[in-house]
Amino acid sequence: ARAKELIEGRLYISSSPDKWKPRGEMVDWLADHVKHVVALCNRTTFELVAGIPGVEYWHFPVKDSHKTVDERIVTTVVPKVVEWVRAGEPVLVSCLAGRSRSGMACALTLMYLNDWTGATALDYLRSKRPKAIKREKPEAWLRSLVAPTHSQGELL
């Protein structure tokens, strides 16, 4: 499959599923592996995913930026993904290329679930998805984050 597994059976990252070929392989993989698909780009895969029994589709388009991380990834997307993963509900987080926006959401999710620093989460993410979070300023911001138990203010 095109998705990379970040947490066994629970968290996956990929490019937009509508880019996967052949389409039947994508539909079968999603039906077998995930309960939630989070799409963080403008491109919509709703038509493809909507008919898959048991798979919920959440289209939450955010801008890909070289300068900042869209605060909605931190305040809205990550808490929901963390909730689903903690509940044992498998999640696929995607964006257009499956690297920047989805990478940030997955890295922050990994941080909170494992009580990791941003640097540790990024290093682990890149061991599974090379070239994830390739934008310089978002990468620096993520690397600056301390583990959640050591932070003065909660991100989530």
Side-chain angles (χ1 to χ4, degrees), residues 5 15 78-79 87-88 95 103 120:
E5 188 174 52
S15 61
V78 172
C95 61
T120 300

Side-chain angles (χ1 to χ4, degrees), residues 23-36:
R23 296 237 191 264
E25 178 183 297
M26 180 268 298
V27 170
D28 291 345
W29 187 89
L30 290 173
D32 291 344
H33 290 87
V34 301
K35 181 172 168 102
H36 306 280

Side-chain angles (χ1 to χ4, degrees), residues 13-84:
I13 185 173
S14 81
S15 61
S16 180
D18 73 327
K19 292 171 66 175
W20 299 8
K21 300 212 183 321
R23 296 237 191 264
E25 178 183 297
M26 180 268 298
V27 170
D28 291 345
W29 187 89
L30 290 173
D32 291 344
H33 290 87
V34 301
K35 181 172 168 102
H36 306 280
V37 173
V38 178
L40 299 176
C41 62
N42 287 329
R43 198 168 181 160
T44 178
T45 59
F46 179 75
E47 297 78 23
L48 297 171
V49 178
I52 304 172
V55 177
E56 178 186 32
Y57 177 73
W58 188 25
H59 186 220
F60 199 93
V62 293
K63 263 190 141 176
D64 188 12
S65 172
H66 288 270
K67 297 178 182 177
T68 63
V69 175
D70 189 306
E71 71 178 45
R72 295 170 303 159
I73 290 175
V74 177
T75 61
T76 305
V77 174
V78 172
K80 196 65 183 166
V81 173
V82 166
E83 176 187 320
W84 287 329

